[in-house]
Amino acid sequence: MAQIALSRRLRRTPFSDGVEAAGVKGYTVYNRMLLPTVFESAEADYRHLKEHVQVWDVSCERQVELRGPDAARLMQMLTPRDLRGMLPGQCYYVPIVDETGGMLNDPVAVKLSEDRWWISIADSDLLLWVKGIANGYRLDVLVDEPDVSPLGVQGPKSDELMARVFGDRVRDIRFFKFDKFEFEGRELAIARSGYSKQGGFEIYVEGSDIGMPLWNALFAAGEDLQVRAGCPNLIERIEGGLLSYGNDMTDDNTPHECGLGKFCNTHTAIGCIGRDALLRVAKEGPVQQIRPILIDGDPVPPCDRPWPIVAGGKRVGQVTSTAWSPDFSTNVAIGMVKLSHWEPGTRVEVESPDGLRGATVRDKFWI
């Protein structure tokens, strides 16, 4: 495969020096930043993640900061999830939609205070959309991208590693909540969250200058825990049903099609820009929806474009993410399937690059 040419337009991160020293073997581009994709191998990284602890450079999860008297109002305009009960110190997974109800992003909203929020975004230009809404409605709010770079600590030994660096109080953080902890005289928000099902934390590193000191401190503290540099793992995320914006859904899809209807309180999310469109979707129901799919046979090749799902000679959906699972000894996949064929146990066929494969729609993801 051709190499990606590096330039200043493809941004390095505060942790890039550490990532390179750890022997990164592959990158992807995410929000115009480098995101590591593999260190030893996909399967070796997967096994280590499930058994030990990894430090992830996920700086590419850029923050859109809302600051000012209208910050909460603007945040509610962006999402169909009702935010009225959200308290400072909480994190919410929030679908962000446009006026048609199409998904623009599926970030985590971090409520720092009533008038200050971070939106920790997936891979899309959300900053420009939010600035446009704020200016178009003449809201009293400042929208910008702060110097905040998330660092993930994921895996079953993550609590022990984090406690060694930040103290035992870090163990008390509950799922999708955060607290403030000091590192080298700087207060950092630490949340119990992350893009894996193995448990862990995300450290919102405010200030690029302390990026490598923190990276080095985590590795020094975790040597006996077999700490390694890692990254979001394709196999583990498919097993766990963690969706990838731009892969598994786009702005052509509504949250209901993406299985995110439980995060849409369209009747009470007053002010959401896409509310009217989603009220109709909620009433009528989606005609297609994301489903876990088991693909028969030997390991499939990488999926870098949608693979048609067919039944009776007709296209009934598409596969968007695939991998061979060592733990389940099968090909695991995520796909968008039409209503007529999305029931668990339905047999279909997938047009993979190496030929037609039998496949089964599952009732739930693997982990």
Side-chain angles (χ1 to χ4, degrees):
M1 179 177 288
Q3 291 185 335
I4 296 175
L6 301 181
S7 75
R8 289 185 61 198
R9 290 182 294 105
L10 182 53
R11 296 160 58 185
R12 291 172 62 82
T13 82
F15 315 107
S16 288
D17 288 346
V19 166
E20 290 165 358
V24 63
K25 291 182 178 177
Y27 287 109
T28 189
V29 180
Y30 195 104
N31 283 325
R32 301 185 180 87
M33 291 192 91
L34 292 168
L35 172 63
T37 56
V38 64
F39 282 84
E40 186 176 348
S41 71
E43 290 197 10
D45 294 351
Y46 161 90
R47 178 59 50 222
H48 182 268
L49 170 62
K50 286 190 167 186
E51 295 178 355
H52 301 291
V53 60
Q54 296 180 351
V55 179
W56 292 4
D57 177 2
V58 284
S59 304
C60 60
E61 295 172 1
R62 303 312 298 161
Q63 307 306 298
V64 176
E65 180 169 292
L66 318 181
R67 189 167 70 252
D70 287 334
R73 178 187 172 193
L74 175 56
M75 190 68 235
Q76 187 63 83
M77 293 175 74
L78 300 173
T79 180
R81 184 166 185 180
D82 190 340
L83 303 178
R84 289 178 299 172
M86 188 177 180
L87 301 173
Q90 287 186 303
C91 309
Y92 274 18
Y93 181 66
V94 290
I96 302 284
V97 298
D98 64 14
E99 73 283 358
T100 71
M103 293 277 294
L104 294 178
N105 207 283
D106 68 324
V108 172
V110 180
K111 187 172 183 178
L112 299 162
S113 64
E114 291 298 332
D115 61 357
R116 189 180 180 213
W117 299 65
W118 287 338
I119 309 173
S120 190
I121 66 173
D123 188 17
S124 77
D125 288 319
L126 196 67
L127 177 65
L128 304 179
W129 170 261
V130 180
K131 278 182 172 288
I133 299 300
N135 283 279
Y137 281 86
R138 299 184 180 278
L139 301 181
D140 187 4
V141 60
L142 177 66
V143 179
D144 63 7
E145 181 185 304
D147 182 14
V148 175
S149 300
L151 186 66
V153 178
Q154 300 288 303
K157 299 177 184 176
S158 57
D159 276 56
E160 177 61 27
L161 176 56
M162 290 290 286
R164 293 181 183 183
V165 176
F166 293 101
D168 280 333
R169 185 169 63 89
V170 79
R171 300 179 189 268
D172 298 331
I173 303 175
R174 296 173 61 191
F175 185 60
F176 260 56
K177 289 187 169 57
F178 72 90
D179 205 345
K180 294 291 189 72
F181 294 81
E182 185 176 304
F183 179 79
E184 293 196 351
R186 198 83 54 86
E187 264 206 339
L188 305 179
I190 299 178
R192 189 176 286 277
S193 59
Y195 198 53
S196 86
K197 289 285 188 171
Q198 305 309 310
F201 302 84
E202 288 179 305
I203 309 166
Y204 290 83
V205 181
E206 197 166 0
S208 296
D209 58 306
I210 61 167
M212 282 309 300
L214 176 57
W215 176 280
N216 292 332
L218 287 164
F219 277 86
E223 188 173 349
D224 63 318
L225 301 177
Q226 298 188 48
V227 63
R228 288 187 195 171
C231 53
N233 184 272
L234 176 67
I235 308 168
E236 196 267 353
R237 86 156 179 88
I238 297 174
E239 289 179 350
L242 298 176
L243 305 183
S244 170
Y245 186 83
N247 281 316
D248 304 314
M249 69 265 197
T250 69
D251 58 2
D252 289 329
N253 304 117
T254 67
H256 297 80
E257 291 178 338
C258 302
L260 304 177
K262 63 184 178 181
F263 299 111
C264 297
N265 316 108
T266 41
H267 288 284
T268 58
I270 307 301
C272 172
I273 286 173
R275 180 171 177 261
D276 289 346
L278 289 178
L279 281 170
R280 292 192 296 272
V281 172
K283 182 179 179 181
E284 298 167 3
V287 298
Q288 60 177 358
Q289 201 166 61
I290 280 179
R291 286 289 188 269
I293 298 170
L294 183 152
I295 302 177
D296 300 342
D298 296 332
V300 291
C303 179
D304 63 352
R305 65 206 68 189
W307 297 352
I309 301 173
V310 296
K314 294 183 179 180
R315 182 165 178 156
V316 296
Q318 62 182 22
V319 164
T320 50
S321 295
T322 63
W324 173 262
S325 167
D327 281 359
F328 297 96
S329 299
T330 190
N331 293 296
V332 296
I334 297 173
M336 187 74 74
V337 186
K338 289 185 177 179
L339 171 62
S340 58
H341 288 77
W342 76 28
E343 284 300 312
T346 302
R347 288 290 293 174
V348 293
E349 292 181 304
V350 174
E351 295 181 2
S352 74
D354 59 2
L356 209 58
R357 298 281 193 110
T360 305
V361 178
R362 286 175 52 90
D363 61 334
K364 60 183 179 180
F365 286 94
W366 288 263
I367 59 175

